Amino acid sequence: GGAIHMLSRADSALIGTERGFPRDIGLTPILRLRLKVRVVPRGTDLSRKSGDDAALRVFISFDKGGGIFSPSRTLGYTWSEKDDAGAIIASAYFSNVRYVSLGKGASSGDEWVVVERDLSVDYRRAFPGDAEAPALKGIALKCDSNDTKTSAEAWLSAVELRTR
């Protein structure tokens, strides 16, 4: 019955884990989120460093690529100002990161939004050179408005990896 309340005022916060990973994506390919977004950073554009902010990000890293100075292949599921659900945007910061929009603008009132995404389908769309998605390596949550110097606020009450 609880939720994570994320709030950012011209700042950024990130929490994550690799505990319980690696994990075969074939066993649980569906990412299910239950969220609520109250404040979306203004001036976001995930393809530019100056606009790389989102009220909510759920990063799913995969066991491929990366190194000391760059992340492994990662999908960042985002809720921002202007990108329609399903849009894929290349990160301005890292060549191995692609954002997948979950939605845009504030969610209506105090209603919870449930979103489900197929990780293997999104991975192949984001990284078309790979025939299959590798194992899941970790997960992280982020709320940020540091690049736009605005504010963001969101709640997340469920993050699940599920079967089809």
Side-chain angles (χ1 to χ4, degrees):
I4 295 173
H5 179 211
M6 297 175 282
L7 179 63
S8 170
R9 291 193 173 98
D11 205 350
S12 176
L14 174 74
I15 59 171
T17 187
E18 290 183 347
R19 189 178 198 178
F21 294 91
R23 203 171 168 151
D24 182 351
I25 193 171
L27 300 176
T28 52
I30 304 299
L31 173 67
R32 183 181 184 274
L33 307 169
R34 186 172 181 260
L35 59 99
K36 185 176 4 179
V37 175
R38 176 151 306 144
V39 179
V40 177
R42 293 178 318 280
T44 61
D45 182 347
L46 297 173
S47 68
R48 291 186 0 252
K49 288 182 179 180
S50 63
D52 186 43
D53 286 333
L56 172 70
R57 298 183 206 231
V58 177
F59 289 106
I60 304 290
S61 62
F62 294 84
D63 200 10
K64 182 168 184 175
I68 293 174
F69 298 109
S70 69
S72 61
R73 292 236 169 131
T74 300
L75 293 178
Y77 289 92
T78 66
W79 194 287
S80 62
E81 184 180 36
K82 69 173 193 140
D83 297 304
D84 291 326
I88 293 185
I89 305 105
S91 167
Y93 283 101
F94 299 104
S95 63
N96 277 346
V97 175
R98 302 288 185 277
Y99 297 120
V100 180
S101 177
L102 297 172
K104 63 183 179 181
S107 53
S108 63
D110 277 335
E111 297 292 319
W112 289 95
V113 176
V114 176
V115 179
E116 287 190 359
R117 300 294 309 184
D118 187 315
L119 295 170
S120 57
V121 169
D122 287 342
Y123 183 90
R124 286 192 306 276
R125 285 181 56 225
F127 302 104
D130 290 3
E132 291 185 29
L136 303 175
K137 185 175 180 180
I139 189 167
L141 310 176
K142 186 175 186 181
C143 176
D144 68 311
S145 58
N146 59 321
D147 291 314
T148 58
K149 306 292 185 237
T150 60
S151 295
E153 185 175 17
W155 286 262
L156 191 58
S157 71
V159 179
E160 300 173 73
L161 295 170
R162 305 175 81 165
T163 60
R164 280 198 169 80

